Amino acid sequence: MDPFEKRSIYWVMAILVLVIAPFIVLMTPAVLSVVVFEDPNKIAFISFGKNLIMYLLAFFIAFISLLILYFVKKLMTKLFVLILSILGFLIIYITGLNHYVYLDENYIEYNPLFGSEVIYQWSDLSSVRHIHPDGEKVEYESYIFTFTDGYSFNFKATGAVDSTVKSKIYEKLQLYKVPFEIY
């Protein structure tokens, strides 16, 4: 195999990344929900839209690094670019994986994009706001959970938050007598 044929494999791999990446990006939240967070006590696993951006960014790094590897001729430089791109891909992809809300029958787990994971009991909730704008698109519907220590986070009520999940949230709020407001 001549050097040009060896180098052209980078173009083929770059095109494969472009073709396969959208499917992996769109399937990752569903696979994560089913494989990692499948539990009999699971109410919902909510992935954020920012996660998809992080996954796309990781695959963009892979694509660009393959293009760079095509033009680089020195072995040491190729190894350096390869190691940096693999580390960059893994760090960004895993950061995207770690941004979620998990509602369980016993607890609420929130892992922000940048920051540390927090786990609260349902009894730790001090108030919940359900923002459901009239006449607006469903994509603007969201929940804001506020806890007794003042910590709060919000998430959109689309995708994984269907009517069953909403009713389970409402049941938990009634059980623990948590103030619930609808806006």
Side-chain angles (χ1 to χ4, degrees):
M1 192 181 276
D2 70 22
F4 180 74
E5 288 178 7
K6 286 181 183 178
R7 287 183 35 210
S8 64
I9 192 117
Y10 296 120
W11 280 106
V12 172
M13 289 173 52
I15 291 170
L16 277 173
V17 166
L18 282 179
V19 171
I20 294 172
F23 297 108
I24 293 174
V25 165
L26 292 175
M27 294 302 296
T28 298
V31 169
L32 189 65
S33 175
V34 171
V35 173
V36 177
F37 290 100
E38 192 55 40
D39 186 279
N41 291 329
K42 174 177 125 180
I43 295 174
F45 171 78
I46 300 133
S47 182
F48 293 93
K50 292 175 188 172
N51 295 22
L52 299 178
I53 294 170
M54 296 298 284
Y55 306 147
L56 283 172
L57 182 60
F59 279 104
F60 180 73
I61 287 173
F63 174 76
I64 294 298
S65 67
L66 288 169
L67 293 180
I68 290 171
L69 288 172
Y70 174 79
F71 293 107
V72 173
K73 294 188 187 333
K74 292 183 180 179
L75 181 62
M76 290 304 288
T77 308
K78 280 188 181 198
L79 284 173
F80 181 73
V81 169
L82 188 62
I83 290 170
L84 278 181
S85 62
I86 289 171
L87 285 175
F89 177 87
L90 289 174
I91 289 169
I92 292 172
Y93 199 81
I94 290 171
T95 301
L97 289 175
N98 287 331
H99 182 46
Y100 61 85
V101 172
Y102 178 70
L103 303 176
D104 189 89
E105 290 288 337
N106 302 315
Y107 62 91
I108 301 163
E109 182 177 336
Y110 174 64
N111 202 346
L113 189 58
F114 301 108
S116 59
E117 172 186 76
V118 292
I119 298 175
Y120 288 101
Q121 302 301 314
W122 284 94
S123 60
D124 294 332
L125 276 168
S126 65
S127 70
V128 173
R129 290 186 189 153
H130 182 191
I131 300 171
H132 192 341
D134 292 331
E136 297 287 330
K137 295 181 180 178
V138 177
E139 65 191 37
Y140 296 113
E141 184 180 3
S142 64
Y143 283 89
I144 300 173
F145 282 23
T146 305
F147 297 92
T148 53
D149 65 357
Y151 189 83
S152 69
F153 65 86
N154 64 342
F155 59 91
K156 290 190 177 189
T158 58
V161 184
D162 57 7
S163 59
T164 307
V165 172
K166 290 177 186 178
S167 67
K168 285 186 178 184
I169 291 172
Y170 187 67
E171 287 173 14
K172 287 292 184 182
L173 298 178
Q174 283 186 325
L175 177 66
Y176 293 104
K177 297 177 177 62
V178 178
F180 181 69
E181 302 172 23
I182 299 177
Y183 288 101

